[in-house]
Amino acid sequence: MAAVLQYLDPWDARFCVAVIAVVFNPFFWNVVARWEHRTRGLTRLFGGPYVACYFLGLLIILLNVYRSHSITVAIKAKGRWEGLDSDQVFYGGAALMATGFALVLSSFLALGFTGTFLGDYFGILMDQKVTGFPFNVMDNPMYWGSTANYLGLALMNASPVGIVLSAVVAVSYRVAIIFEGPFTEEIYRQRKGCSKRE
């Protein structure tokens, strides 16, 4: 255990930046999307819900690129731990990354850009719930696919820091799901109620 702990410095600036990036992203997009749903501020600013949603989606993508970069920097800074440095762990990590990529990509293809990037908060609602792959395999496949990508990256780099950061990603997404799931369901419930009254 002492050997592992020498790779984990919670006060290392690179580790702290990565943790902040991981926690900030879902917090940011949930706050902005709820504000948009309540005020339609971005829709008014950009002249329509689609342009506003595409703007927020692009911003989320850029934040996610920075998050990935900061995690990679933190992983590379501490080097490889011999306890994880084996072919089996490396190939296991590669398999996790491939699985994660498949989940993220198939989720995006199933939802489309606006479905992926909180279009329902902008009033861009889907006709029906997506139930095909990968949503027939698990709930929130994009979040868990992304988590698998980070864990796979950590294992391929034999990085205890990466494993800890992957756990932070998983917890951050779990918290986001707790807030997003019921709110999104309420948006669709309201639409159904409006449809019945018409």
Side-chain angles (χ1 to χ4, degrees), residues 1-188:
M1 189 64 174
V4 173
L5 290 177
Q6 73 180 348
Y7 288 87
L8 297 172
D9 178 5
W11 308 117
D12 179 77
R14 292 161 295 210
F15 178 78
C16 292
V17 167
V19 169
I20 291 167
V22 166
V23 172
F24 176 78
N25 283 11
F27 173 78
F28 168 79
W29 72 60
N30 271 287
V31 168
V32 172
R34 283 183 182 227
W35 172 78
E36 165 62 21
H37 180 71
R38 194 175 65 254
T39 68
R40 294 295 185 236
L42 289 175
T43 295
R44 285 197 308 276
L45 178 65
F46 288 98
Y50 284 90
V51 177
C53 182
Y54 277 95
F55 170 78
L56 181 60
L58 179 61
L59 194 53
I60 290 169
I61 290 168
L62 292 173
L63 286 170
N64 286 342
V65 167
Y66 181 75
R67 175 185 61 186
S68 296
H69 169 73
S70 64
I71 288 174
T72 303
V73 167
I75 285 173
K76 299 288 187 186
K78 287 296 182 180
R80 302 174 72 84
W81 178 48
E82 294 84 6
L84 288 173
D85 202 359
S86 71
D87 287 345
Q88 294 90 340
V89 172
F90 179 87
Y91 290 121
L96 266 176
M97 284 195 80
T99 301
F101 178 77
L103 289 171
V104 170
L105 181 61
S106 58
S107 297
F108 180 80
L109 293 175
L111 294 172
F113 192 93
T114 57
T116 299
F117 293 105
L118 305 165
D120 36 17
Y121 290 68
F122 291 81
I124 306 167
L125 304 178
M126 303 187 87
D127 293 333
Q128 58 189 12
K129 186 175 181 177
V130 176
T131 56
F133 183 81
F135 295 90
N136 60 350
V137 174
M138 65 172 58
D139 291 332
N140 307 292
M142 186 166 283
Y143 285 166
W144 301 127
S146 178
T147 304
N149 283 336
Y150 289 119
L151 182 56
L153 180 67
L155 294 176
M156 290 176 73
N157 285 278
S159 172
V161 168
I163 292 172
V164 170
L165 289 171
S166 300
V168 176
V169 169
V171 170
S172 297
Y173 279 154
R174 185 69 191 111
V175 171
I177 289 165
I178 290 169
F179 286 96
E180 288 174 17
F183 196 79
T184 303
E185 287 174 16
E186 181 59 26
I187 290 171
Y188 281 91

